[in-house]
Amino acid sequence: MRLDKFFIYLGVVALLCALSFSEDVVDDDEDDVEVDSDSESEEKARRRSGKDKKKPVETEAYTPPTIALEHEESVFFAEPFAKRNEFEARWMKSESKKDGVDADISKYDGKLFSLCKWGFEEPVSKLFAGDLGLVLKSKARHHAISAMLKTPFEFKNKPFVVQYEVKFQQALECGGAYVKLLSKHDALDLKLFHDKSSYTIMFGPDKCGEDKKLHFIFRHKNPKTGEYEEKHAKKPTGNFQSVFDGKKTHLFTLVVRPDNTFEVFVDQTSVNSGSLLEDFTPPVNPPKEIDDPHDKKPEDWDEREKIPDPDAEKPDDWDEDAPAKIPDPDAKKPDDWLDDEPEFVPDPNGVKPDDWDPEEDGEWEAPQIANPKCEKVGCGEWKPPVIDNPAYKGKWSAPLIDNPNFKGIWKPRKIDNPDYFEDKEPFKMTPIAAVGLELWSMTPDILFDNFIVTNDKYVADKFATDSWVKKNIKETYGGDEEGGIVSNLMEATNERPWLWNDASAKKKKTDEPTEDVVPEEDEKEEEAEAEVKEEVTPAEGGEEAEEKNEEEEKGAEGNEETVGQDEVDEEESAKSGVTTRRKPRKE
């Protein structure tokens, strides 16, 4: 979904911050009249002091996403949790238990009074009124719940797309929020859904401590043995680490295509992609050849590339006992070295504890400190410093030479792999019949919403546009609460029309003067005067100057009368409570 308008709104809000001082600017537009009434001043003061608080905006009613009629055939499962009676009947809680764990936590949550709980409820932080989801409620328990697809998904010639929303309402410590797409088979019973139930694809986030994963696993059937083996996708290259922080609703999308490629999206951004044939461990197809398990290395096989020279002899002057360090023979003791002074002396400031008992603790002695006399030169027995021994050679060993018997690193011979097969279409997986959540978590209140299984990525995107995108906008840019950007943006811009590039409105809120508009008649008079000046001779120019001076003196007298009139106007305006400004007259 394009968010251009919202980025424009964010720019507008930045302008509001930069121009917030403009509330107090006096209107300098000389063509308009500004009204400074006491009521407006009180209104502004009340608004700034916070006394006139706005009432919270009512939470917007939730409209669940729907599937258009023309796309119904491409959708195999869609769960917006819109009608409680429908989705409560559709989802089946498991009555099975997990093998190999303590009996207290082995049971799932399908039976009455179970400690493991699922809930159909609104999120803790409501973005929309009536927006329900499936919530994992219990901590440190095994949970299992599932729902049948409308029709099984067959992997033929169209993509497989699964998408759903997850919100960790608390930062996840250890647990999963992945979905299992359960395989179609005759013995499928959702009441017995457990960790060993057959699935075709497992997809979604998982975390424990600092180990964060985004699983995409598919179970591949060996065409020779009929056995299934899990294939794990390579690690995502995109960033998905922040999905566990408990701040936003996140959208997880998996697309598997008939050309054996796949792509994983988080919040509609691709974080992993590749080939089913090349980017999974272990690989779909085994190697053609394998090491012969019965082949063994011969006893006389020599893998040493270098050997000690058998003809080499230690030199006669090689002293293996020579030390690596020796005293410096050229060092001399400083003349002021204090031989008789000890390196440590009793602390003269030491005080015997009051509870010291000589009979039990012995004779008290002050603690030892470094002798302050030794700080500058040194004291005690003088010893020369040590240096590297030039005669040191260490233990002698013969030099290495090429091994004439070297045969290389031994490897067992290769034989044809009896289990080899080549599956060129791993996309054709086992059909999927149901959607399931089989989870363990140390963090409760994990919310799931808006599941969809389809063969058309466009339909999944449209489903997200009508659901997740709306939530993401509110969580990212602010909600309907007081002070939220979405709720206050239009009101703020209505109070500041100059933000929309209205030139006249802009001048009303700045110090920029409004240009004087010269009437057409005045323009014609000025043009006529200019023509007369051009026709005047030098002699006539002197007479014209005298006449002009007389006119200016008369104009000055007229201005004095105008000033007096202006003072009267101001007195009358002050009595009426309205301040007016007149446009300057031309001289």
Side-chain angles (χ1 to χ4, degrees):
M1 174 183 178
R2 297 181 60 187
L3 303 178
D4 296 357
K5 292 184 179 179
F6 287 95
F7 289 121
I8 292 174
Y9 291 163
L10 288 179
V12 169
V13 172
L15 286 174
L16 295 182
C17 296
L19 298 172
S20 59
F21 70 90
S22 64
E23 294 289 345
D24 296 328
V25 175
V26 178
D27 183 2
D28 287 337
D29 187 342
E30 292 145 349
D31 287 331
D32 296 323
V33 177
E34 179 181 326
V35 179
D36 294 331
S37 63
D38 294 338
S39 60
E40 288 184 352
S41 300
E42 292 175 0
E43 178 69 21
K44 288 182 180 179
R46 186 164 56 252
R47 185 167 62 250
R48 288 179 185 145
S49 64
K51 294 179 180 179
D52 188 15
K53 293 185 178 180
K54 300 176 183 177
K55 295 181 180 179
V57 180
E58 292 185 3
T59 304
E60 179 183 349
Y62 180 63
T63 302
T66 57
I67 304 300
L69 292 175
E70 62 268 23
H71 297 140
E72 283 189 352
E73 292 185 359
S74 66
V75 176
F76 298 80
F77 183 80
E79 181 57 272
F81 299 103
K83 297 181 180 179
R84 181 179 293 273
N85 59 335
E86 291 184 4
F87 59 69
E88 285 185 342
R90 185 182 301 118
W91 290 83
M92 181 69 66
K93 297 177 183 178
S94 174
E95 298 179 3
S96 184
K97 67 178 183 177
K98 187 180 179 76
D99 294 333
V101 297
D102 293 341
D104 293 340
I105 60 173
S106 65
K107 296 180 181 180
Y108 291 106
D109 54 10
K111 294 184 178 180
L112 190 63
F113 305 122
S114 170
L115 296 176
C116 305
K117 299 294 184 182
W118 290 98
F120 295 106
E121 59 190 47
E122 292 180 315
V124 175
S125 299
K126 289 200 303 183
L127 299 173
F128 297 92
D131 179 17
L132 300 178
L134 174 62
V135 181
L136 182 151
K137 301 290 292 180
S138 307
K139 176 180 177 180
R141 297 288 172 179
H142 293 282
H143 303 74
I145 193 169
S146 55
M148 296 295 293
L149 269 60
K150 181 174 61 176
T151 56
F153 184 93
E154 303 280 347
F155 291 86
K156 294 181 179 179
N157 56 0
K158 290 187 177 182
F160 169 79
V161 182
V162 59
Q163 179 175 276
Y164 66 106
E165 299 172 13
V166 176
K167 182 168 186 178
F168 299 103
Q169 301 187 86
Q170 303 176 30
L172 188 66
E173 298 176 3
C174 184
Y178 44 80
V179 61
K180 289 183 176 181
L181 288 308
L182 304 182
S183 302
K184 176 187 175 184
H185 57 85
D186 295 337
L188 180 61
D189 185 353
L190 300 186
K191 286 186 178 181
L192 301 179
F193 175 39
H194 56 91
D195 61 312
K196 299 294 193 302
S197 297
S198 299
Y199 68 88
T200 300
I201 289 176
M202 185 177 117
F203 168 65
D206 190 13
K207 177 195 173 186
C208 198
E210 294 302 316
D211 186 15
K212 302 174 182 179
K213 297 179 180 178
L214 183 56
H215 295 294
F216 170 29
I217 305 170
F218 75 94
R219 295 175 71 245
H220 179 260
K221 183 178 181 180
N222 188 316
K224 296 190 71 172
T225 65
E227 297 179 353
Y228 285 87
E229 185 178 34
E230 289 184 351
K231 309 295 182 181
H232 295 251
K234 64 179 182 179
K235 291 184 178 180
T237 56
N239 183 20
F240 69 94
Q241 311 297 323
S242 62
V243 302
F244 303 100
D245 60 14
K247 295 180 180 179
K248 290 185 178 182
T249 303
H250 295 283
L251 184 73
F252 297 90
T253 309
L254 169 66
V255 181
V256 188
R257 305 182 184 93
D259 63 355
N260 300 315
T261 62
F262 74 93
E263 193 162 9
V264 175
F265 299 84
V266 175
D267 296 343
Q268 297 186 326
T269 298
S270 178
V271 297
N272 199 6
S273 62
S275 168
L276 299 179
L277 291 167
E278 300 173 0
D279 297 306
F280 282 76
T281 305
V284 169
N285 295 316
K288 289 184 178 180
E289 293 183 329
I290 60 172
D291 295 337
D292 184 356
H294 303 294
D295 191 16
K296 296 182 179 180
K297 182 174 71 173
E299 294 181 358
D300 60 347
W301 190 278
D302 196 341
E303 292 182 331
R304 298 175 301 165
E305 187 174 358
K306 299 283 185 178
I307 59 172
D309 185 357
D311 299 326
E313 295 182 359
K314 183 176 72 171
D316 295 336
D317 61 347
W318 192 284
D319 185 3
E320 293 184 342
D321 298 326
K325 300 283 186 178
I326 59 172
D328 184 358
D330 299 327
K332 294 181 179 181
K333 183 177 72 171
D335 296 336
D336 53 354
W337 187 272
L338 304 175
D339 296 277
D340 299 330
E341 285 288 340
E343 294 184 21
F344 297 94
V345 294
D347 184 0
N349 299 321
V351 178
K352 182 175 70 173
D354 295 336
D355 58 350
W356 188 273
D357 187 349
E359 294 183 359
E360 295 183 2
D361 302 325
E363 183 181 358
W364 181 82
E365 295 180 356
Q368 298 285 309
I369 61 172
N371 190 341
K373 296 180 180 180
C374 302
E375 292 180 357
K376 293 183 178 180
V377 291
C379 52
E381 182 184 359
W382 182 84
K383 293 180 181 179
V386 295
I387 60 173
D388 293 334
N389 184 1
Y392 173 75
K393 295 183 178 180
K395 186 174 180 61
W396 181 86
S397 60
L400 298 178
I401 61 172
D402 292 336
N403 182 5
N405 298 321
F406 175 66
K407 295 183 178 180
I409 304 300
W410 182 85
K411 294 180 180 179
R413 63 175 175 266
K414 296 289 185 179
I415 61 173
D416 291 338
N417 183 359
D419 299 324
Y420 173 73
F421 63 84
E422 184 178 15
D423 183 357
K424 295 182 179 181
E425 297 179 310
F427 169 78
K428 295 184 177 179
M429 306 177 192
T430 306
I432 294 172
V435 173
L437 298 170
E438 188 272 316
L439 304 168
W440 161 274
S441 178
M442 292 299 295
T443 305
D445 297 325
I446 302 174
L447 186 143
F448 300 85
D449 202 358
N450 294 313
F451 290 85
I452 185 171
V453 176
T454 178
N455 59 21
D456 190 340
K457 177 67 162 51
Y458 170 81
V459 175
D461 289 341
K462 181 64 171 63
F463 205 69
T465 299
D466 295 339
S467 54
W468 174 81
V469 171
K470 294 180 180 178
K471 299 176 186 179
N472 184 255
I473 289 172
K474 284 202 172 188
E475 291 173 332
T476 303
Y477 302 108
D480 287 337
E481 69 277 1
E482 183 179 0
I485 294 175
V486 174
S487 61
N488 293 342
L489 183 59
M490 294 312 299
E491 180 181 352
T493 54
N494 287 336
E495 294 177 356
R496 298 166 177 84
W498 72 90
L499 292 172
W500 303 115
N501 250 349
D502 186 337
S504 61
K506 180 178 180 182
K507 291 173 182 178
K508 290 174 66 66
K509 287 297 180 180
T510 65
D511 291 331
E512 184 178 350
T514 304
E515 297 83 355
D516 292 334
V517 180
V518 181
E520 294 182 2
E521 295 180 358
D522 292 349
E523 291 180 357
K524 292 179 180 179
E525 290 178 1
E526 291 177 359
E527 291 175 0
E529 290 177 0
E531 291 176 359
V532 170
K533 289 180 180 179
E534 292 177 359
E535 296 175 356
V536 173
T537 62
E540 293 172 342
E543 297 176 358
E544 182 67 24
E546 291 179 2
E547 293 178 0
K548 185 176 181 182
N549 290 335
E550 292 177 0
E551 290 178 359
E552 289 179 353
E553 290 176 0
K554 293 179 180 179
E557 293 175 359
N559 288 341
E560 290 177 1
E561 295 177 0
T562 304
V563 170
Q565 184 62 39
D566 288 343
E567 293 176 355
V568 173
D569 291 343
E570 290 179 1
E571 291 176 1
E572 293 178 356
S573 299
K575 292 178 180 179
S576 61
V578 178
T579 301
T580 62
R581 293 222 172 99
R582 288 183 175 274
K583 179 177 173 181
R585 291 174 175 76
K586 287 197 170 184
E587 294 181 357

